[in-house]
Amino acid sequence: MGTGRASDFARQLRAKQKARRIYGVLERQFRRYYDTAITRRGLTGLNLLQILESRLDNVVFRLGFASSRSQARLLVAHGHFTVNGRRTNVPSMLLSEGDTINVRDGSGKLTYFKELGAYTEKRTAPGWLNRDVRSMSGSLVRMPERAEIDGSLDEQLIVEYYSRR
């Protein structure tokens, strides 16, 4: 009788750890995102995934300006991007609908960004983002819907994990 609860807990923990690993988020920050997701209207699990997807490092990755989220995090941390015309070096910055992301003018001259165009064109940007490869910019058109987010994540298990307290 007790093994069912233990295996449920293990599945919930694995789901949470998987999401943390995919997005490169530490526990305290992930918990804060969950607390924010609870306060928003709508489904808590979907809200949590939308918050994770709207992080600047994830958006840079989704736009195709980096080959991985960790590389995107590094590029943002080194100040290669502007958000709404302001230079930023905060990978965890949460973007809102209408925010624009540009490669900084000075960074555009670097070999990495010069050669990035060919790589970026091969990757398709999701429908909730608008990308201009020529100007090395993009914008958050709207928050992603559940079908546009990684299908291997089970947000319900994550919600159950945090709501058990």
Side-chain angles (χ1 to χ4, degrees):
M1 187 156 76
T3 58
R5 287 179 54 195
S7 65
D8 285 348
F9 175 76
R11 284 186 21 248
Q12 294 163 357
L13 179 63
R14 272 195 306 277
K16 176 190 68 90
Q17 298 294 59
K18 180 179 181 179
R20 279 191 44 219
R21 196 170 43 255
I22 287 172
Y23 289 100
V25 178
L26 297 176
E27 179 61 36
R28 181 177 286 173
Q29 194 171 30
F30 196 83
R31 177 64 198 222
R32 213 170 22 246
Y33 290 150
Y34 174 78
D35 293 340
T36 303
I38 290 175
T39 63
R40 292 188 180 178
R41 293 175 65 136
L43 300 171
T44 303
L46 178 60
N47 290 342
L48 176 62
L49 293 179
Q50 287 176 334
I51 290 169
L52 291 168
E53 284 288 325
S54 67
R55 284 172 49 103
L56 178 57
D57 56 354
N58 184 71
V59 171
V60 166
F61 167 69
R62 293 281 190 202
L63 286 169
F65 297 149
S67 58
S68 66
R69 285 184 181 88
S70 57
Q71 184 185 30
R73 182 178 185 83
L74 192 68
L75 290 169
V76 172
H78 285 202
H80 292 298
F81 293 93
T82 62
V83 175
N84 298 329
R86 298 187 66 181
R87 182 180 180 175
T88 183
N89 61 357
V90 182
S92 63
M93 178 182 195
L94 295 179
L95 301 177
S96 305
E97 291 179 13
D99 285 349
T100 58
I101 300 97
N102 293 306
V103 173
R104 260 188 50 243
D105 292 338
S107 300
K109 297 178 179 92
L110 297 173
T111 308
Y112 173 80
F113 289 105
K114 284 181 180 175
E115 295 173 354
L116 188 62
Y119 168 76
T120 304
E121 286 180 5
K122 291 177 189 168
R123 288 186 53 195
T124 56
W128 51 278
L129 293 173
N130 189 8
R131 176 180 68 192
D132 183 1
V133 178
R134 290 194 192 280
S135 67
M136 297 297 270
S137 65
S139 62
L140 186 80
V141 180
R142 60 178 169 78
M143 285 296 170
E145 296 169 15
R146 180 58 185 108
E148 298 170 310
I149 302 172
D150 187 354
S152 69
L153 291 174
D154 190 344
E155 69 274 17
Q156 188 54 42
L157 288 175
I158 298 169
V159 171
E160 288 172 13
Y161 173 84
Y162 281 116
S163 61
R164 66 186 160 71
R165 298 174 191 215

